[in-house]
Amino acid sequence: MRSASQATQILDDSVPGVSIEDHQMLMAKVADHGDRDAFKKLFLHFGPRVKTLMLKAGADQALAEDIVQDVMMTVWRKVHLYSPERGAVSTWVYTIARNARIDRLRRRSAQPYEDLDGLELASEEADGEAETFASQRSECVADAVADLPDEQRQIIEYAFVQDLSQSEIATRLALPLGTVKSRMRLAYAKLKGRLEVLQ
Amino acid sequence: MTVHHHLDDSTLLRYASGDLDDAFSTIVASHLAVCEDCRQALRVAEDIGGGLLDTEAPAPLAADALDRIMSGVTAKPLRTARPSQRTESSADVPIPLRRFIGDRLDGISWTTVAPGIRRHRISLDTPSSLYLLHIGPGKAVPEHGHGGAEMTLILSGAYRDALGRFGPGDIADLDEHVEHQPRVEPDEPCICVVATEAQTRFKGFFSRLLQPLVRI
Ligand SMILES: [Zn+2]
């Protein structure tokens, strides 16, 4: 582990009450004006969290730092591909980080994901109502994950944060694979259930 | 395209968290490319990742991390042209499969593997395999259990099995315990793409005998 003295204090971004809309406003400034200050704020929020994700997935310090640079550079380059209709900025950054994890940690191809992004974009029309729904959806899902029963939340975190495969989760918890699958389905059904009030 | 058979929720979560190998991520992306319902469902699954990312404790970055990124973001990001909806109506291959087999199903080269059954392998660097099958009208595929998980996405034509009728866009997302015997509808051949996990065990003598011949 890197000692605290080697790190800067730039990480103190714990600005209270940063909302989905705040991040979306920063993204719009980057997209419209190439606003570097807005980008810096996004970097200070997401950079350290993407690093945590990579460390928890098994990357060492140097690799995690490299991936943070790659992911955030992709955020800058592809900022026009983000649309509030897709949901929170954090969801979009997660998908970029996941793709980097697939390419660089799992040494597989994220190409199928990227093919799909292109298609999504081609079929989207701006729509204020859809944007509001997407923000609410992202927020509601994030809250609902926190409320899942422990045995379901743990499996979700193993998969999304620690990057464990389904069979690794089964081994770690000494559960049959089928039980891991059914707990995943239960968790997902619960999240979807919480969304019904939004429709 | 009206889709009746969709991805299992646990598959959507695996795709969203990046847990599928290239054979399975390609077939899942190919279903997503033609299924708006599953694309909506995927967004919910990806929101899980976004929510967890947002609540992670931040890890200290290296002292030069901010300088490093800021020195790279000098030029204003380019507004890349939104990829246009593919207008050429002749393309009938889902986008994620096009870099392997081209735009059109009638351009695929086939190898006969059994009477009425032709195959086109897609070579990937994974233990799982991905291949296309062209099965003649009315033809039944020999009953088979699976050595592991198997997914089949219909690209044209249709087949029926105990689970119902599978037509274009439908995906059979089966786990390893399901045995099935698909029969192609009588009027036209069925073209589908199949992803199978590495064979981990053999069912018995006959399938062991058949395995090297058919491998489906
Ligand atoms: Zn679907």
Short mmCIF file of all heavy atoms in Angstrom, two decimals, chain B residues 116-155:
data_model
loop_
_atom_site.label_atom_id
_atom_site.label_comp_id
_atom_site.label_asym_id
_atom_site.label_seq_id
_atom_site.Cartn_x
_atom_site.Cartn_y
_atom_site.Cartn_z
N GLY B 116 -28.18 -32.36 -43.27
CA GLY B 116 -29.09 -31.23 -43.03
C GLY B 116 -28.58 -30.20 -42.04
O GLY B 116 -29.25 -29.23 -41.73
N ILE B 117 -27.40 -30.42 -41.50
CA ILE B 117 -26.85 -29.47 -40.52
C ILE B 117 -25.50 -28.95 -41.00
O ILE B 117 -24.57 -29.72 -41.24
CB ILE B 117 -26.68 -30.13 -39.13
CG1 ILE B 117 -28.02 -30.68 -38.64
CG2 ILE B 117 -26.13 -29.11 -38.12
CD1 ILE B 117 -27.97 -31.36 -37.29
N ARG B 118 -25.44 -27.63 -41.15
CA ARG B 118 -24.17 -27.01 -41.55
C ARG B 118 -23.70 -26.06 -40.47
O ARG B 118 -24.51 -25.53 -39.71
CB ARG B 118 -24.37 -26.25 -42.87
CG ARG B 118 -24.64 -27.21 -44.03
CD ARG B 118 -24.72 -26.45 -45.35
NE ARG B 118 -26.08 -26.01 -45.64
CZ ARG B 118 -26.37 -25.08 -46.56
NH1 ARG B 118 -25.39 -24.47 -47.23
NH2 ARG B 118 -27.61 -24.74 -46.79
N ARG B 119 -22.41 -25.87 -40.41
CA ARG B 119 -21.86 -25.07 -39.32
C ARG B 119 -20.83 -24.09 -39.85
O ARG B 119 -20.13 -24.35 -40.83
CB ARG B 119 -21.20 -25.99 -38.29
CG ARG B 119 -20.69 -25.21 -37.06
CD ARG B 119 -20.02 -26.13 -36.06
NE ARG B 119 -18.88 -26.78 -36.69
CZ ARG B 119 -18.36 -27.94 -36.27
NH1 ARG B 119 -18.87 -28.57 -35.23
NH2 ARG B 119 -17.33 -28.46 -36.89
N HIS B 120 -20.75 -22.94 -39.17
CA HIS B 120 -19.67 -21.98 -39.43
C HIS B 120 -19.08 -21.60 -38.07
O HIS B 120 -19.77 -21.03 -37.23
CB HIS B 120 -20.22 -20.73 -40.13
CG HIS B 120 -19.18 -19.66 -40.33
ND1 HIS B 120 -18.46 -19.53 -41.49
CD2 HIS B 120 -18.73 -18.67 -39.50
CE1 HIS B 120 -17.62 -18.51 -41.37
NE2 HIS B 120 -17.76 -17.98 -40.16
N ARG B 121 -17.84 -21.96 -37.86
CA ARG B 121 -17.20 -21.65 -36.58
C ARG B 121 -16.65 -20.23 -36.58
O ARG B 121 -16.10 -19.78 -37.56
CB ARG B 121 -15.98 -22.55 -36.37
CG ARG B 121 -16.25 -23.90 -35.82
CD ARG B 121 -14.87 -24.56 -35.64
NE ARG B 121 -14.98 -25.99 -35.49
CZ ARG B 121 -15.33 -26.58 -34.34
NH1 ARG B 121 -15.57 -25.85 -33.28
NH2 ARG B 121 -15.42 -27.89 -34.27
N ILE B 122 -16.76 -19.59 -35.42
CA ILE B 122 -16.11 -18.29 -35.24
C ILE B 122 -14.95 -18.53 -34.29
O ILE B 122 -15.16 -19.06 -33.19
CB ILE B 122 -17.11 -17.27 -34.66
CG1 ILE B 122 -18.20 -16.97 -35.68
CG2 ILE B 122 -16.38 -15.99 -34.23
CD1 ILE B 122 -19.33 -16.10 -35.17
N SER B 123 -13.74 -18.20 -34.72
CA SER B 123 -12.64 -18.56 -33.82
C SER B 123 -12.36 -17.42 -32.86
O SER B 123 -12.19 -16.27 -33.23
CB SER B 123 -11.39 -18.99 -34.59
OG SER B 123 -10.85 -17.89 -35.27
N LEU B 124 -12.39 -17.78 -31.60
CA LEU B 124 -12.17 -16.84 -30.50
C LEU B 124 -11.16 -17.47 -29.57
O LEU B 124 -11.05 -18.69 -29.50
CB LEU B 124 -13.47 -16.61 -29.71
CG LEU B 124 -14.60 -15.84 -30.37
CD1 LEU B 124 -15.82 -15.92 -29.47
CD2 LEU B 124 -14.21 -14.39 -30.61
N ASP B 125 -10.47 -16.62 -28.85
CA ASP B 125 -9.45 -17.12 -27.94
C ASP B 125 -10.06 -17.38 -26.57
O ASP B 125 -9.66 -16.78 -25.58
CB ASP B 125 -8.34 -16.06 -27.88
CG ASP B 125 -7.12 -16.58 -27.15
OD1 ASP B 125 -7.01 -17.82 -27.03
OD2 ASP B 125 -6.30 -15.76 -26.72
N THR B 126 -11.07 -18.23 -26.52
CA THR B 126 -11.73 -18.53 -25.24
C THR B 126 -12.00 -20.03 -25.16
O THR B 126 -12.10 -20.69 -26.18
CB THR B 126 -13.11 -17.85 -25.13
OG1 THR B 126 -13.86 -18.18 -26.30
CG2 THR B 126 -12.99 -16.35 -25.02
N PRO B 127 -12.14 -20.54 -23.95
CA PRO B 127 -12.50 -21.95 -23.81
C PRO B 127 -13.91 -22.21 -24.35
O PRO B 127 -14.19 -23.28 -24.88
CB PRO B 127 -12.46 -22.21 -22.30
CG PRO B 127 -11.87 -21.01 -21.67
CD PRO B 127 -11.95 -19.89 -22.64
N SER B 128 -14.81 -21.25 -24.23
CA SER B 128 -16.16 -21.42 -24.78
C SER B 128 -16.09 -21.30 -26.29
O SER B 128 -15.18 -20.68 -26.82
CB SER B 128 -17.10 -20.33 -24.27
OG SER B 128 -17.13 -20.32 -22.89
N SER B 129 -17.08 -21.89 -26.97
CA SER B 129 -17.05 -21.75 -28.42
C SER B 129 -18.29 -21.03 -28.93
O SER B 129 -19.34 -21.00 -28.30
CB SER B 129 -16.87 -23.10 -29.10
OG SER B 129 -17.74 -24.04 -28.54
N LEU B 130 -18.12 -20.42 -30.10
CA LEU B 130 -19.18 -19.65 -30.74
C LEU B 130 -19.26 -20.11 -32.18
O LEU B 130 -18.24 -20.14 -32.88
CB LEU B 130 -18.83 -18.16 -30.67
CG LEU B 130 -19.88 -17.16 -31.15
CD1 LEU B 130 -21.12 -17.18 -30.24
CD2 LEU B 130 -19.30 -15.73 -31.18
N TYR B 131 -20.44 -20.52 -32.62
CA TYR B 131 -20.57 -20.97 -34.01
C TYR B 131 -21.98 -20.72 -34.51
O TYR B 131 -22.91 -20.52 -33.72
CB TYR B 131 -20.21 -22.46 -34.14
CG TYR B 131 -20.94 -23.37 -33.20
CD1 TYR B 131 -22.16 -23.94 -33.55
CD2 TYR B 131 -20.42 -23.67 -31.94
CE1 TYR B 131 -22.84 -24.78 -32.68
CE2 TYR B 131 -21.08 -24.51 -31.06
CZ TYR B 131 -22.30 -25.06 -31.44
OH TYR B 131 -22.97 -25.88 -30.57
N LEU B 132 -22.13 -20.71 -35.83
CA LEU B 132 -23.45 -20.58 -36.42
C LEU B 132 -23.87 -21.94 -36.93
O LEU B 132 -23.03 -22.74 -37.36
CB LEU B 132 -23.43 -19.58 -37.58
CG LEU B 132 -23.29 -18.13 -37.13
CD1 LEU B 132 -21.90 -17.63 -37.38
CD2 LEU B 132 -24.31 -17.25 -37.83
N LEU B 133 -25.18 -22.20 -36.89
CA LEU B 133 -25.71 -23.42 -37.46
C LEU B 133 -26.76 -23.06 -38.51
O LEU B 133 -27.50 -22.10 -38.34
CB LEU B 133 -26.38 -24.29 -36.38
CG LEU B 133 -25.49 -25.00 -35.37
CD1 LEU B 133 -26.36 -25.80 -34.40
CD2 LEU B 133 -24.48 -25.93 -36.07
N HIS B 134 -26.77 -23.84 -39.57
CA HIS B 134 -27.79 -23.72 -40.61
C HIS B 134 -28.48 -25.08 -40.63
O HIS B 134 -27.87 -26.08 -41.01
CB HIS B 134 -27.10 -23.41 -41.94
CG HIS B 134 -28.02 -23.26 -43.10
ND1 HIS B 134 -28.78 -24.30 -43.59
CD2 HIS B 134 -28.31 -22.18 -43.87
CE1 HIS B 134 -29.50 -23.87 -44.62
NE2 HIS B 134 -29.23 -22.58 -44.81
N ILE B 135 -29.72 -25.12 -40.17
CA ILE B 135 -30.40 -26.40 -40.02
C ILE B 135 -31.58 -26.45 -40.99
O ILE B 135 -32.38 -25.51 -41.05
CB ILE B 135 -30.91 -26.59 -38.57
CG1 ILE B 135 -29.78 -26.26 -37.57
CG2 ILE B 135 -31.40 -28.02 -38.33
CD1 ILE B 135 -30.28 -26.05 -36.15
N GLY B 136 -31.66 -27.53 -41.74
CA GLY B 136 -32.67 -27.65 -42.79
C GLY B 136 -34.09 -27.66 -42.26
O GLY B 136 -34.34 -27.99 -41.11
N PRO B 137 -35.07 -27.30 -43.13
CA PRO B 137 -36.49 -27.29 -42.74
C PRO B 137 -36.93 -28.64 -42.19
O PRO B 137 -36.58 -29.67 -42.76
CB PRO B 137 -37.23 -26.98 -44.05
CG PRO B 137 -36.21 -26.43 -44.99
CD PRO B 137 -34.88 -26.97 -44.54
N GLY B 138 -37.68 -28.63 -41.10
CA GLY B 138 -38.23 -29.86 -40.54
C GLY B 138 -37.23 -30.74 -39.82
O GLY B 138 -37.57 -31.76 -39.23
N LYS B 139 -35.99 -30.33 -39.83
CA LYS B 139 -34.92 -31.16 -39.26
C LYS B 139 -34.91 -31.06 -37.73
O LYS B 139 -35.08 -29.99 -37.16
CB LYS B 139 -33.59 -30.62 -39.83
CG LYS B 139 -32.37 -31.35 -39.39
CD LYS B 139 -32.06 -32.51 -40.32
CE LYS B 139 -31.02 -33.40 -39.67
NZ LYS B 139 -31.10 -34.77 -40.18
N ALA B 140 -34.72 -32.22 -37.08
CA ALA B 140 -34.58 -32.20 -35.63
C ALA B 140 -33.10 -32.32 -35.28
O ALA B 140 -32.38 -33.11 -35.88
CB ALA B 140 -35.34 -33.36 -35.00
N VAL B 141 -32.69 -31.54 -34.33
CA VAL B 141 -31.31 -31.65 -33.86
C VAL B 141 -31.29 -32.74 -32.81
O VAL B 141 -32.18 -32.80 -31.97
CB VAL B 141 -30.85 -30.31 -33.25
CG1 VAL B 141 -29.46 -30.42 -32.65
CG2 VAL B 141 -30.89 -29.20 -34.30
N PRO B 142 -30.30 -33.67 -32.87
CA PRO B 142 -30.29 -34.77 -31.91
C PRO B 142 -30.41 -34.25 -30.48
O PRO B 142 -29.82 -33.23 -30.15
CB PRO B 142 -28.92 -35.41 -32.12
CG PRO B 142 -28.45 -34.94 -33.46
CD PRO B 142 -29.14 -33.66 -33.75
N GLU B 143 -31.18 -34.95 -29.67
CA GLU B 143 -31.36 -34.53 -28.28
C GLU B 143 -30.02 -34.45 -27.58
O GLU B 143 -29.18 -35.33 -27.72
CB GLU B 143 -32.25 -35.53 -27.55
CG GLU B 143 -32.46 -35.15 -26.12
CD GLU B 143 -33.73 -35.77 -25.53
OE1 GLU B 143 -34.34 -36.64 -26.20
OE2 GLU B 143 -34.08 -35.39 -24.42
N HIS B 144 -29.83 -33.36 -26.88
CA HIS B 144 -28.55 -33.24 -26.19
C HIS B 144 -28.70 -32.48 -24.89
O HIS B 144 -29.40 -31.50 -24.80
CB HIS B 144 -27.51 -32.56 -27.08
CG HIS B 144 -27.89 -31.18 -27.54
ND1 HIS B 144 -28.93 -30.94 -28.40
CD2 HIS B 144 -27.36 -29.97 -27.27
CE1 HIS B 144 -29.02 -29.64 -28.63
NE2 HIS B 144 -28.09 -29.03 -27.95
N GLY B 145 -28.03 -32.97 -23.86
CA GLY B 145 -27.89 -32.18 -22.65
C GLY B 145 -26.64 -31.37 -22.86
O GLY B 145 -25.95 -31.52 -23.85
N HIS B 146 -26.35 -30.50 -21.94
CA HIS B 146 -25.20 -29.65 -22.14
C HIS B 146 -24.10 -29.96 -21.15
O HIS B 146 -24.35 -30.22 -20.00
CB HIS B 146 -25.59 -28.18 -21.99
CG HIS B 146 -26.69 -27.78 -22.91
ND1 HIS B 146 -27.84 -27.22 -22.47
CD2 HIS B 146 -26.81 -27.94 -24.24
CE1 HIS B 146 -28.63 -27.01 -23.52
NE2 HIS B 146 -28.03 -27.43 -24.59
N GLY B 147 -22.86 -29.89 -21.64
CA GLY B 147 -21.74 -30.02 -20.73
C GLY B 147 -21.64 -28.79 -19.85
O GLY B 147 -21.06 -28.80 -18.79
N GLY B 148 -22.21 -27.69 -20.31
CA GLY B 148 -22.18 -26.43 -19.56
C GLY B 148 -23.30 -25.56 -20.07
O GLY B 148 -24.20 -26.04 -20.74
N ALA B 149 -23.25 -24.28 -19.76
CA ALA B 149 -24.29 -23.36 -20.22
C ALA B 149 -24.25 -23.25 -21.74
O ALA B 149 -23.21 -23.44 -22.37
CB ALA B 149 -24.07 -21.99 -19.59
N GLU B 150 -25.42 -23.00 -22.31
CA GLU B 150 -25.51 -22.85 -23.76
C GLU B 150 -26.54 -21.77 -24.07
O GLU B 150 -27.56 -21.68 -23.41
CB GLU B 150 -25.96 -24.17 -24.40
CG GLU B 150 -26.09 -24.11 -25.90
CD GLU B 150 -26.56 -25.43 -26.51
OE1 GLU B 150 -25.73 -26.35 -26.63
OE2 GLU B 150 -27.75 -25.54 -26.85
N MET B 151 -26.23 -20.94 -25.04
CA MET B 151 -27.21 -19.95 -25.50
C MET B 151 -27.33 -20.05 -27.01
O MET B 151 -26.34 -20.26 -27.71
CB MET B 151 -26.77 -18.52 -25.16
CG MET B 151 -26.82 -18.20 -23.70
SD MET B 151 -26.44 -16.44 -23.44
CE MET B 151 -25.86 -16.54 -21.74
N THR B 152 -28.57 -19.91 -27.49
CA THR B 152 -28.83 -19.95 -28.93
C THR B 152 -29.65 -18.72 -29.31
O THR B 152 -30.69 -18.48 -28.70
CB THR B 152 -29.64 -21.21 -29.30
OG1 THR B 152 -28.94 -22.36 -28.80
CG2 THR B 152 -29.79 -21.35 -30.80
N LEU B 153 -29.17 -17.97 -30.26
CA LEU B 153 -29.90 -16.80 -30.75
C LEU B 153 -30.32 -17.06 -32.19
O LEU B 153 -29.49 -17.39 -33.04
CB LEU B 153 -29.00 -15.55 -30.69
CG LEU B 153 -29.53 -14.27 -31.34
CD1 LEU B 153 -30.72 -13.71 -30.56
CD2 LEU B 153 -28.43 -13.21 -31.45
N ILE B 154 -31.63 -16.94 -32.46
CA ILE B 154 -32.13 -17.21 -33.81
C ILE B 154 -31.91 -15.98 -34.69
O ILE B 154 -32.30 -14.87 -34.32
CB ILE B 154 -33.65 -17.53 -33.78
CG1 ILE B 154 -33.99 -18.58 -32.73
CG2 ILE B 154 -34.12 -17.97 -35.18
CD1 ILE B 154 -33.32 -19.90 -32.91
N LEU B 155 -31.32 -16.22 -35.85
CA LEU B 155 -31.09 -15.11 -36.78
C LEU B 155 -32.11 -15.13 -37.92
O LEU B 155 -32.53 -14.10 -38.41
CB LEU B 155 -29.67 -15.17 -37.34
CG LEU B 155 -28.55 -15.11 -36.28
CD1 LEU B 155 -27.18 -15.22 -36.92
CD2 LEU B 155 -28.64 -13.82 -35.46
#
